[in-house]
Amino acid sequence: MSVPAIELVDATKRYGTSMALDRVSLRIERGEFFCLLGPSGCGKTTTLNLIGGFIPLTSGELRIEGQRVNDMPPHKRNVNTVFQNYALFPHMTVEENVAFGLRMARLGSGETATRVDEYLALVGLEAFHDRLPAQLSGGQQQRVALARALARRPAVLLLDEPLGALDLKLRKQMQVELARIHRQVGTTFVFVTHDQEEALSMATRIAVMSAGRVVQSGTPRDIYYHPVDRFVADFIGESNFLEGVAVRDGARSYVRLGGGSTVDAPADAPPGSVTLMVRPESVSVGPAPATNGEASLSGRVIHVAFIGNHTRVTVRTPAGDIVALRPHSEGSASSALDELLDQEVCAWWSPRDSTIVAHGSTEKIDERLV
């Protein structure tokens, strides 16, 4: 097995009696675009600062490219950081900002000039050598900071919510650019964000954090469609949650819900009280499905909302409200969905598109579900 770019083993960080990071173990492979994702105070920035050497570990071990770096100062670690505020020198030109770290490393003038040209071209700013930071837009400043950090050719690039100060449209553009630059340079990126869309759109793997721990680590697709618990399912995108009792009847698994309804469940659903999760985009709304393989609930449409490229339909059922997101093209499905308001319909989905995000023992079953 190859040596990972970063490895944390039982990494713990305390501030007095406060636990900021609680025995976190992570392995980040070389060349990954790895996102640390979670709400404020979850420990993601603490993890990034530990890797960068800006704060010391309380206990545990940190290795970069196989080398133990617990006590190594930041300037001796083969990492570089892009901060949210970019930290550009206001009195230096774009060229001087990018060259600064190279000159501190005593690179020759010829090699420094070559790298400045190379990395400004990489971020699309080859015509901006002589501009000052104040003459740049926020997105351009972010690109300069990225070029400066990459010019040192670090083994690992740490990015601390670098898109947080940008407006929505520019942030989406920079997501595409960051993913392109990562593919082009092949450097290991460790990206901190609280924005699940940023993580899903760029990362090769994501670690979802809460209360100083890693709750789940995996590919964006795995985390989105197969969350390990309700916290992850609720934090990553929108979800429908249905409380009930899972039952196995021979080869069939189903969940008994409130109001006497039953829906087919994933084949591996454990018997007992469960929370079933299904994503809104997996739910269809209309007459009852023609086949018998879908999980379905009858109800009444209580809200229809047009949201640009899709329509959000809320169906009230005896088991709770179910939300469906239906994409559409101009003038097609949208108008048809509008006509469903206050109508009795069926909401259905394939059992393979649902997952169990919480389960308990058969001794803790709500009487209303028996």
Side-chain angles (χ1 to χ4, degrees):
M1 185 179 293
S2 63
V3 176
I6 298 169
E7 191 169 17
L8 291 164
V9 181
D10 291 331
T12 299
K13 179 61 183 177
R14 292 189 185 90
Y15 294 100
T17 58
S18 176
M19 182 74 76
L21 211 64
D22 187 7
R23 292 172 296 169
V24 166
S25 293
L26 272 178
R27 181 184 172 100
I28 301 174
E29 302 297 340
R30 297 187 186 201
E32 281 199 281
F33 196 131
F34 194 92
C35 273
L36 298 169
L37 174 67
S40 296
C42 71
K44 58 187 185 296
T45 298
T46 298
T47 303
L48 197 80
N49 286 333
L50 287 171
I51 296 170
F54 305 119
I55 57 175
L57 278 164
T58 301
S59 63
E61 190 163 312
L62 169 62
R63 305 186 193 108
I64 297 176
E65 295 188 305
Q67 181 182 10
R68 188 178 186 274
V69 298
N70 285 38
D71 303 315
M72 186 179 289
H75 67 277
K76 291 189 176 181
R77 301 186 185 195
N78 195 11
V79 303
N80 218 337
T81 306
V82 177
F83 298 99
Q84 185 174 356
N85 63 0
Y86 315 137
L88 299 178
F89 298 110
H91 61 289
M92 292 185 182
T93 65
V94 166
E95 178 179 338
E96 291 167 339
N97 266 282
V98 177
F100 180 81
L102 303 175
R103 288 170 178 155
M104 291 298 99
R106 292 184 168 82
L107 233 62
S109 58
E111 177 65 13
T112 295
T114 298
R115 289 203 198 180
V116 169
D117 290 342
E118 176 186 351
Y119 286 95
L120 284 179
L122 178 70
V123 299
L125 294 178
E126 54 265 62
F128 289 74
H129 281 64
D130 298 326
R131 298 274 186 95
L132 291 170
Q135 298 172 311
L136 304 175
S137 69
Q140 290 167 340
Q141 290 182 37
Q142 198 270 349
R143 291 172 190 235
V144 174
L146 186 63
R148 182 178 63 182
L150 286 170
R152 288 286 302 270
R153 295 179 180 169
V156 177
L157 183 65
L158 308 176
L159 300 109
D160 187 10
E161 303 202 51
L163 309 184
L166 305 179
D167 63 59
L168 178 61
K169 187 174 182 179
L170 186 54
R171 193 158 67 242
K172 289 180 179 295
Q173 292 173 354
M174 286 308 304
Q175 289 170 15
V176 175
E177 283 298 294
L178 276 175
R180 175 191 65 81
I181 290 167
H182 171 259
R183 290 192 302 270
Q184 194 163 336
V185 299
T187 303
T188 304
F189 281 18
V190 181
F191 188 98
V192 163
T193 182
H194 63 273
D195 187 323
Q196 49 93 10
E197 183 181 329
E198 279 187 0
L200 291 173
S201 68
M202 294 187 294
T204 55
R205 276 201 307 139
I206 298 170
V208 182
M209 301 187 69
S210 176
R213 291 174 177 260
V214 173
V215 183
Q216 183 175 0
S217 179
T219 66
R221 187 173 294 274
D222 284 344
I223 286 177
Y224 186 80
Y225 286 111
H226 304 289
V228 296
D229 63 16
R230 183 162 181 157
F231 169 80
V232 176
D234 206 22
F235 189 77
I236 305 291
E238 187 175 9
S239 302
N240 292 301
F241 297 108
L242 297 168
E243 309 289 341
V245 177
V247 178
R248 286 183 182 171
D249 184 5
R252 182 190 175 217
S253 292
Y254 64 92
V255 176
R256 188 185 301 123
L257 303 170
S261 304
T262 63
V263 294
D264 286 336
D268 59 351
S273 60
V274 298
T275 300
L276 185 72
M277 185 277 290
V278 60
R279 297 291 185 184
E281 62 270 22
S282 298
V283 179
S284 296
V285 174
T291 62
N292 296 321
E294 287 84 359
S296 63
L297 288 172
S298 297
R300 182 173 60 87
V301 176
I302 63 169
H303 187 64
V304 178
F306 174 79
I307 310 175
N309 62 353
H310 65 272
T311 295
R312 190 176 191 272
V313 180
T314 305
V315 181
R316 179 148 294 168
T317 78
D321 291 353
I322 299 291
V323 174
L325 294 180
R326 309 312 304 159
H328 51 75
S329 57
E330 183 179 357
S332 59
S334 177
S335 58
L337 290 171
D338 288 341
E339 296 171 1
L340 292 177
L341 187 62
D342 292 327
Q343 299 297 310
E344 296 294 325
V345 297
C346 186
W348 75 90
W349 59 91
S350 170
R352 66 175 176 270
D353 290 331
S354 61
T355 189
I356 302 297
V357 295
H359 60 85
S361 70
T362 54
E363 299 175 357
K364 298 181 180 179
I365 296 175
D366 192 321
E367 293 178 350
R368 295 170 296 176
L369 304 177
V370 177

